[in-house]
Amino acid sequence: MADTTSETGRDALTGHACIQSYLKTLPTSPGVYRMLDAQARVLYVGKARNLKARVSNYARPTGHSPRIARMIRETASMMFLTTRTETEALLLEQNLIKQLKPRYNVLLRDDKSFPNILLTKDHAYPMIRKHRGAKTQKGAYFGPFASAGAVNRTLNQLQKVFQLRTCSDSMFESRTRPCLLYQIKRCSGPCVGLISEEDYAASVRDAERFLSGKSTKIQEDLAAQMTGAAEAMEFERAAALRDRIRALTQVQGVQGINPQGVAEADVIALHMEGGQACVQVFFIRANQNWGNRDFYPRTGADVSEAEVLEAFLGQFYDTKEPPRLILLSHPIENADLMQAALTEKLGRKVEIAVPKRGEKAELVEGAARNARESLGRKMAETATQAKLLKGLAEALDLDRTPRRIEVYDNSHIMGTNAVGAMIVAGPEGFEKNHYRKFNIRGEELTPGDDFGMMKEVLTRRLRRLVKEDPDRTSEAWPDLLLIDGGAGQVSAVQGILDEMGLGDLPMVGVAKGPDRDAGKEEFHRPGRRPFALRHNDPVLYFVQRMRDEAHRFAIGTHRAKRAKAVAANPLDEVPGVGAARKRALLAHFGSAKAVTRADLADLKAVEGISDALAERIYAHFNEA
């Protein structure tokens, strides 16, 4: 792979002339090109089978869509990377688009990983649980599911049917009596020997069969067992088996349509309207519908359906494992190339198809209908949000309608486990992938000093923005800061902004009114008298929602930090004490606190603890 960058001699050229100047030296090999503006910001990333031929298209003065013509006018330099194959160029293009987020590319904005169900294989009594992230643990993975909710609902029903444990290995080993899940018939109690290893293994096999699409055979087996139990007058066992069959039927009912002729596929449908797009993805695995998810890629008004779908596929499967079959609502231009790239990624053949009839076409039609309805709801919400943002600008006398509002709040208990939180709101509503949390680090802060905490959070946030984008040209800069507090907080924050040379950044404090009643909030802006909005003003409700969301996020972050601190074990900090030795110490002394108070002779008496390690543990807790 070779890298060719722009030359300084072309700095004065822009637009068609700039692009034309590269043609003489461009190779005819496959590769990726980047178009940059005068500030060296990436405008567009594209791939080409023949770099010279592809770039020459941009050098033409006419025949471009408004979006492309605008991009060409802004181009001040270009960068090139040659590759061995066009497939390699496609993979590199999508990777760069995700990294650089160019303005004129179609962008997949929501790209979270999807959860799976994991059946562990590293224990005599395997555990079933939700899993997200890299598949590093030994076991069988089933998924992806469209959402955590879809996984939780399925797990809830699977617990009723197969009664597999969901507890961690450490909890499993420490139990002396069955937990509540056993009492409500969601677990068979393997932790205290209430089921044999052989019977539990049979339940694990049944769960695997179900998740592999063999639910009908399992139901038949359970029905036969229920009949046999009834004939033997084991009515309690027969009733339990009946409940398991009902739960299994409910799982299938929750999943909705379960296609018979499609074992494994992602059904992807696109609907475009008014310059916006919605892509609906249905996950079909083991002949079962494991949920659907909608995405709203950033597009332009003049982008074709083929371009949007192709860009979506490349970015969506950049970090995800593709299925054997991908069903699309619209054809894409480079279907063979995309198929080859995904086949190479998966290590087995991937097929991309646009079905016209039969069950597959019905699946695509259903996904397209969901995409159309989802986009309709999204556009209605966006219109309402735009109206609220405009109303907020008018109420606060801002120079322009804000597109990025950052709301800050703190949470602590008497100064302990203090955290700061930032949420972001804009034209799309709450943008949760931009939320940030801050662990308060200032050692000199007085416990409960809200002013000091806010100063630390804002200083860290703004200092990073200044470092990354001193010219304030990116969309990461807020158009409005919303602070939970009154005149004192506003004055303190304005001092921070002035100190950093950001005094022109719009900022407003929201303080609860008399008796701290919601609806009587006062708004504080630097150098102005406090004011209030009408009690039934939609803008007031909008501000309340943003403030409450920041408060919710701050409290949730604080609770998570507090829970982590409570669960912390002082033995975790001792070098050389792993899980096995920790269990030995706890079994011998009864608690971590007792270990910290033990004398050296008692530590040396613990089985599995060497004299050297005992001395290290004793020294760790008795340094004073």
Side-chain angles (χ1 to χ4, degrees):
M1 186 182 295
D3 187 3
T4 309
T5 59
S6 57
E7 297 174 12
T8 55
R10 299 186 176 94
D11 287 349
L13 300 176
T14 57
H16 297 289
C18 172
I19 297 170
Q20 184 77 39
S21 67
Y22 287 96
L23 293 178
K24 292 181 181 178
T25 57
L26 272 182
T28 57
S29 60
V32 173
Y33 58 92
R34 278 174 276 182
M35 308 175 92
L36 296 83
D37 65 10
Q39 284 76 43
R41 292 173 300 194
V42 180
L43 298 171
Y44 185 79
V45 175
K47 68 172 185 318
R49 179 183 299 147
N50 182 322
L51 276 172
K52 187 169 186 175
R54 184 73 185 91
V55 174
S56 66
N57 291 335
Y58 294 111
R60 295 198 318 265
T62 59
H64 304 291
S65 68
R67 179 177 66 99
I68 299 301
R70 199 162 56 246
M71 178 186 74
I72 291 172
R73 284 196 301 272
E74 295 179 29
T75 300
S77 63
M78 295 186 72
M79 298 179 68
F80 305 91
L81 277 164
T82 58
T83 58
R84 291 170 297 176
T85 64
E86 192 180 2
T87 301
E88 189 178 322
L90 173 65
L91 295 172
L92 178 59
E93 175 203 32
Q94 300 305 331
N95 189 270
L96 288 173
I97 289 172
K98 289 184 68 173
Q99 286 182 32
L100 303 173
K101 297 179 171 52
R103 190 188 317 165
Y104 289 98
N105 282 95
V106 175
L107 290 181
L108 173 59
R109 291 178 286 191
D110 183 8
D111 190 32
K112 297 178 181 176
S113 63
F114 294 101
N116 290 264
I117 286 179
L118 168 63
L119 258 174
T120 61
K121 297 288 187 180
D122 53 0
H123 196 280
Y125 293 94
M127 166 180 54
I128 188 169
R129 65 177 177 86
K130 178 174 65 179
H131 175 86
R132 194 191 290 269
K135 298 176 181 178
T136 54
Q137 187 171 350
K138 185 179 179 182
Y141 293 86
F142 302 92
F145 285 79
S147 64
V151 171
N152 292 336
R153 285 191 298 272
T154 302
L155 280 175
N156 186 38
Q157 298 302 324
L158 289 178
Q159 282 180 270
K160 293 180 182 178
V161 179
F162 304 111
Q163 298 184 1
L164 304 182
R165 72 179 181 96
T166 56
C167 58
S168 65
D169 290 348
S170 58
M171 183 178 289
F172 178 89
E173 292 166 7
S174 64
R175 297 297 303 184
T176 57
R177 58 181 181 177
C179 65
L180 179 63
L181 288 176
Y182 174 79
Q183 308 298 336
I184 61 175
K185 299 180 180 177
R186 299 289 181 87
C187 180
S188 52
C191 54
V192 290
L194 296 177
I195 184 173
S196 68
E197 191 172 331
E198 293 76 16
D199 290 343
Y200 190 87
S203 295
V204 170
R205 284 194 298 273
D206 284 344
E208 283 191 89
R209 288 163 64 198
F210 172 78
L211 291 168
S212 301
K214 299 172 182 175
S215 55
T216 304
K217 183 67 170 69
I218 295 172
Q219 283 178 304
E220 291 173 357
D221 292 345
L222 290 174
Q225 292 177 38
M226 181 181 69
T227 302
E231 289 174 353
M233 291 193 292
E234 297 176 1
F235 299 118
E236 187 174 341
R237 181 166 175 266
L241 289 164
R242 177 203 61 201
D243 292 342
R244 293 175 70 178
I245 293 171
R246 285 179 179 173
L248 197 57
T249 304
Q250 189 174 351
V251 177
Q252 295 164 321
V254 168
Q255 289 171 339
I257 299 170
N258 291 319
Q260 298 302 310
V262 181
E264 177 186 326
D266 283 352
V267 183
I268 303 178
L270 167 70
H271 182 75
M272 296 180 66
E273 185 179 336
Q276 298 187 52
C278 175
V279 178
Q280 191 80 210
V281 183
F282 278 76
F283 301 96
I284 307 296
R285 299 293 186 274
N287 295 101
Q288 301 171 53
N289 176 12
W290 283 354
N292 61 297
R293 181 89 169 269
D294 48 1
F295 299 86
Y296 301 92
R298 191 187 76 188
T299 64
D302 55 358
V303 180
S304 69
E305 292 163 331
E307 185 178 350
V308 173
L309 262 185
E310 185 170 324
F312 177 84
L313 289 178
Q315 294 171 52
F316 184 72
Y317 291 115
D318 182 56
T319 55
K320 298 176 181 67
E321 186 176 287
R324 297 173 184 269
L325 175 63
I326 299 172
L327 301 176
L328 302 181
S329 59
H330 299 81
I332 60 176
E333 292 182 9
N334 300 294
D336 291 343
L337 181 63
M338 183 65 70
Q339 193 167 281
L342 296 180
T343 296
E344 183 178 312
K345 178 182 178 66
L346 185 61
R348 60 175 188 250
K349 186 177 180 182
V350 174
E351 180 186 354
I352 297 176
V354 184
K356 300 298 183 185
R357 62 181 68 85
E359 186 180 36
K360 294 177 182 177
E362 291 175 6
L363 289 171
V364 172
E365 184 181 341
R369 183 179 63 254
N370 276 271
R372 183 174 61 253
E373 294 170 354
S374 296
L375 184 59
R377 290 191 295 270
K378 183 77 171 178
M379 291 175 72
E381 292 169 4
T382 302
T384 303
Q385 189 76 1
K387 188 175 180 180
L388 288 172
L389 291 171
K390 185 178 179 181
L392 182 65
E394 293 172 356
L396 301 181
D397 194 23
L398 302 177
D399 294 334
R400 61 177 182 172
T401 302
R403 292 190 59 81
R404 181 184 175 95
I405 303 172
E406 293 186 355
V407 190
Y408 292 86
D409 196 7
N410 298 323
S411 184
H412 60 90
I413 293 179
M414 300 296 290
T416 61
N417 298 311
V419 295
M422 177 194 85
I423 69 147
V424 178
E428 305 291 331
F430 291 122
E431 301 181 15
K432 296 191 176 183
N433 55 330
H434 291 171
Y435 286 15
R436 295 292 181 269
K437 52 190 175 183
F438 302 83
N439 288 315
I440 303 299
R441 300 170 181 165
E443 296 179 359
E444 71 282 356
L445 289 178
T446 303
D449 181 4
D450 286 333
F451 282 14
M453 293 179 196
M454 184 61 69
K455 180 177 181 180
E456 178 181 332
V457 168
L458 278 170
T459 301
R460 284 164 57 186
R461 166 67 179 157
L462 296 174
R463 185 179 291 151
R464 180 168 183 173
L465 279 175
V466 169
K467 181 180 178 181
E468 294 178 350
D469 183 22
D471 297 327
R472 294 163 67 173
T473 56
S474 73
E475 296 178 356
W477 278 92
D479 300 309
L480 175 66
L481 299 179
L482 198 64
I483 309 298
D484 186 16
Q489 288 278 36
V490 168
S491 177
V493 172
Q494 188 60 46
I496 298 169
L497 297 177
D498 292 338
E499 186 180 327
M500 301 183 71
L502 303 172
D504 60 330
L505 205 60
M507 180 262 298
V508 63
V510 184
K512 288 189 173 72
D515 302 322
R516 301 182 67 81
D517 285 343
K520 297 182 180 179
E521 285 84 356
E522 289 186 339
F523 293 82
H524 297 259
R525 292 204 65 190
R528 304 188 188 186
R529 293 174 62 87
F531 64 95
L533 298 176
R534 294 192 322 273
H535 183 69
N536 61 348
D537 193 330
V539 173
L540 177 59
Y541 297 145
F542 178 45
V543 172
Q544 289 172 349
R545 285 208 320 273
M546 289 191 290
R547 184 196 58 199
D548 292 346
E549 173 68 1
H551 194 52
R552 179 201 66 78
F553 184 59
I555 288 177
T557 304
H558 166 73
R559 284 175 177 166
K561 184 177 181 181
R562 194 174 73 227
K564 186 176 180 181
V566 169
N569 190 321
L571 296 176
D572 294 336
E573 301 174 6
V574 183
V577 176
R581 286 168 176 166
K582 193 193 305 180
R583 283 196 296 271
L585 288 166
L586 292 174
H588 185 89
F589 291 102
S591 69
K593 192 172 184 179
V595 177
T596 66
R597 294 175 175 177
D599 60 31
L600 185 57
D602 288 337
L603 289 169
K604 289 181 178 181
V606 179
E607 186 177 351
I609 303 297
S610 66
D611 289 353
L613 182 55
E615 290 172 3
R616 193 185 310 155
I617 296 169
Y618 183 80
H620 180 84
F621 293 116
N622 296 273
E623 288 180 356

